[in-house]
């Protein structure tokens, strides 16, 4: 499986897919640079007059609700509608799910449009599935990824989406399969927007021909987590880690990827 995941990484590098992001102010620069580092081409566009046209020329759409407002919500819904019409994959990042009534109302509309992939932390995934006693602390998770597994199973059965739970262990599931990734570094949680970066990278990997979204999500998460693990070894803190992750996304080798990647396939 490692060899196939590496082939997907090379495919993104060689094909430079255009990824349309309707994302938040906090992470635009970070996610654009990460997409460029892996070989993809980012565009951030949310104007009502062009979102449908932008979806039409992009390989995938990523919707991130981090800094919501009413104008952007209309842009998101229009873009997703166009993606569905054209058969383009779209990825949802439900930042802060469960934090406010407005956020939950927007997410209810978006998940009804059945994203190809949903990526969030454990608290966000649990909130999306309407688990009892769910709390979020802003956009941070107060739950471990394994605690959200039942919620992810509910979502994938209801929506048919691939569900990715980010955490110390990244969990990717669909209606039949589960993969647990055991890479990364705890310092990654101190860098703003790395979860959003993961969602953007997933968008790039959903564009690969002849590959299902489950495998693409695994490849994207494996690449980011291994790059983060390597980058942490030469970083003095979160500031240098952010830069070093970008560099490693750009120059990671097959040998580094194969030697460090740790995963489990579960039934």
């Amino acid at each position: 499986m490692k060899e196939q995941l590496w082939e997907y990484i090379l495919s993104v590098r060689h094909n430079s897919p255009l990824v349309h992001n309707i994302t938040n102010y906090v992470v635009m620069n970070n996610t654009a640079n990460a997409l460029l580092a892996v070989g993809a081409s980012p565009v951030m566009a949310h104007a009502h007059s062009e979102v449908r046209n932008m979806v039409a020329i992009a390989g995938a759409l990523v919707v991130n609700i981090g800094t919501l407002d009413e104008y952007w919500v209309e842009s998101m819904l229009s873009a997703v509608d166009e993606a569905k019409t054209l058969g383009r994959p779209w990825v949802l990042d439900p930042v802060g799910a469960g934090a406010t009534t407005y956020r939950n109302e927007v997410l209810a509309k978006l998940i009804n449009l059945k994203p190809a992939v949903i990526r969030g932390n454990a608290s966000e995934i649990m909130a999306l599935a309407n688990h009892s006693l769910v709390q979020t602390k802003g956009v941070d998770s107060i739950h471990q990824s394994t605690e959200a597994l039942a919620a992810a199973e509910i979502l994938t059965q209801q929506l048919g989406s691939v569900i990715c739970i980010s955490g110390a262990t990244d969990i990717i599931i669909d209606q039949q399969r589960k993969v647990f990734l055991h890479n990364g570094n705890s310092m990654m949680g101190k860098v703003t927007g790395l979860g959003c970066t993961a969602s953007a990278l997933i968008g790039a990997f959903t564009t690969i021909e002849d590959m299902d979204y489950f495998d693409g999500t695994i490849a994207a998460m494996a690449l980011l987590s291994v790059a983060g693990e390597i980058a942490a070894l030469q970083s003095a803190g979160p500031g240098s880690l952010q830069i070093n992750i970008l560099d490693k996304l750009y120059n990671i080798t097959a040998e580094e990827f194969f030697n460090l990647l740790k995963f489990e396939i579960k039934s």
Side-chain angles (χ1 to χ4, degrees):
M1 185 178 187
K2 290 183 179 181
E3 290 77 9
Q4 188 60 67
L5 294 176
W6 182 251
E7 288 301 315
Y8 297 150
I9 293 168
L10 294 181
S11 179
V12 171
R13 284 185 182 176
H14 294 157
N15 293 318
S16 191
L18 179 64
V19 182
H20 179 191
N21 300 264
I22 302 179
T23 189
N24 70 74
Y25 293 118
V26 179
V27 304
M28 281 188 182
N29 184 67
N30 309 53
T31 54
N33 279 327
L35 284 166
L36 287 168
V38 302
S41 181
V43 61
M44 277 64 179
H46 59 268
H48 294 170
S49 57
E50 72 170 354
V51 287
R52 288 182 178 272
N53 295 64
M54 198 64 75
V55 170
I57 63 173
L61 168 69
V62 178
V63 172
N64 177 309
I65 70 160
T67 51
L68 278 182
D69 72 22
E70 288 76 7
Y71 185 96
W72 283 39
V73 170
E74 186 175 338
S75 301
M76 292 171 182
L77 294 172
S78 294
V80 172
D81 180 69
E82 188 70 9
K84 300 288 284 188
T85 298
L86 298 175
R88 302 283 195 277
W90 77 280
V91 177
L92 174 63
D93 190 326
V95 179
T100 68
T101 300
Y102 177 57
R103 200 162 287 261
N104 292 340
E105 290 171 351
V106 171
L107 283 170
K109 295 176 183 178
L110 287 169
I111 65 171
N112 281 338
L113 297 170
K114 297 184 177 180
V117 183
I118 301 172
R119 189 224 57 85
N121 64 40
S123 295
E124 291 162 349
I125 296 301
M126 292 168 73
L128 276 185
N130 292 317
H131 253 234
S132 62
L133 302 178
V134 170
Q135 293 177 298
T136 57
K137 189 186 75 174
V139 299
D140 299 320
S141 180
I142 59 173
H143 297 89
Q144 300 299 314
S145 56
T146 50
E147 296 179 74
L149 187 54
E153 289 172 343
I154 291 169
L155 288 171
T156 192
Q157 293 301 325
Q158 289 180 343
L159 304 174
S161 308
V162 174
I163 310 298
C164 175
I165 314 165
S166 293
T169 297
D170 296 319
I171 304 172
I172 300 97
I173 78 167
D174 67 5
Q175 293 176 320
Q176 289 86 33
R177 299 166 289 181
K178 298 183 184 73
V179 167
F180 290 59
L181 296 174
H182 301 290
N183 289 101
N185 183 277
S186 60
M187 202 194 318
M188 294 173 73
K190 302 297 183 182
V191 177
T192 189
L194 276 185
C196 302
T197 294
S199 297
L201 296 184
I202 290 169
F205 280 78
T206 61
T207 66
I208 300 172
E209 291 186 15
D210 302 322
M211 179 204 62
D212 65 24
Y213 302 139
F214 181 78
D215 290 340
T217 302
I218 296 170
M221 296 303 296
L223 174 58
L224 181 59
S225 59
V226 170
E229 188 170 321
I230 296 169
L233 298 175
Q234 57 191 38
S235 301
S240 54
L241 177 63
Q242 186 172 29
I243 294 170
N244 290 332
I245 287 176
L246 283 177
D247 286 347
K248 188 49 60 179
L249 288 173
Y250 178 76
N251 63 31
I252 191 170
T253 66
E255 182 179 9
E256 289 173 319
F257 186 76
F258 293 151
N259 288 344
L260 284 176
L261 180 60
K262 299 182 288 290
F263 64 91
E264 300 174 77
I265 301 173
K266 298 193 177 185
S267 58

